[in-house]
Amino acid sequence: ALADAARYRSHAGLARRTLLAQRDRFPHSLRAIEAAFLLGRLDESAAGAAQALAWYDRYLGEAPRGRYAAEALGRKMLVVQELRGTEAARPLAEAYVDRYPDGAYAELARKLALH
């Protein structure tokens, strides 16, 4: 709850410390796993795209079918496109469309897959 409140109030530092503490203290809990995704969002918002990518990878590795899996894969696709270009993002776009054909990033993924 503290991390959520801090994120909503734009206190990224407090949110980060809280999420990292959650991962350290309860490393195998559902909340700790979800914290990886939320840390990715924080890093992406703070122009830390490479670190965000690492957090999205960690989340998808820990919870490939988790609550945030579709969003993590979609965000990962966007970050890879930003960092490495469309060619590098294409396999992620194809995977996204295969797994989430009606997902929030499906239209963009289809466009990337066709380029």
Side-chain angles (χ1 to χ4, degrees):
L2 178 59
D4 288 341
R7 285 184 319 112
Y8 296 133
R9 301 279 302 173
S10 299
H11 297 294
L14 177 59
R16 171 177 297 290
R17 289 189 305 275
T18 304
L19 292 167
L20 289 170
Q22 194 168 38
R23 285 192 58 83
D24 287 342
R25 194 160 179 202
F26 309 102
H28 303 294
S29 71
L30 178 60
R31 296 274 188 203
I33 292 168
E34 290 177 349
F37 171 75
L38 297 172
L39 284 160
R41 290 302 311 248
L42 283 173
D43 282 340
E44 197 176 345
S45 296
Q51 187 61 35
L53 183 58
W55 282 117
Y56 293 146
D57 281 338
R58 182 170 288 171
Y59 175 78
L60 289 166
E62 293 175 359
R65 301 212 185 288
R67 174 162 75 165
Y68 298 115
E71 189 170 355
L73 183 57
R75 301 301 313 166
K76 178 180 176 178
M77 175 185 69
L78 295 177
V79 171
V80 167
Q81 182 187 25
E82 176 186 332
L83 292 175
R84 301 178 191 148
T86 300
E87 278 300 312
R90 183 171 293 121
L92 295 169
E94 292 168 352
Y96 187 92
V97 171
D98 285 345
R99 285 184 68 185
Y100 309 105
D102 298 319
Y105 297 91
E107 185 176 334
L108 177 60
R110 283 186 191 89
K111 289 178 185 176
L112 281 175
L114 294 175
H115 280 292

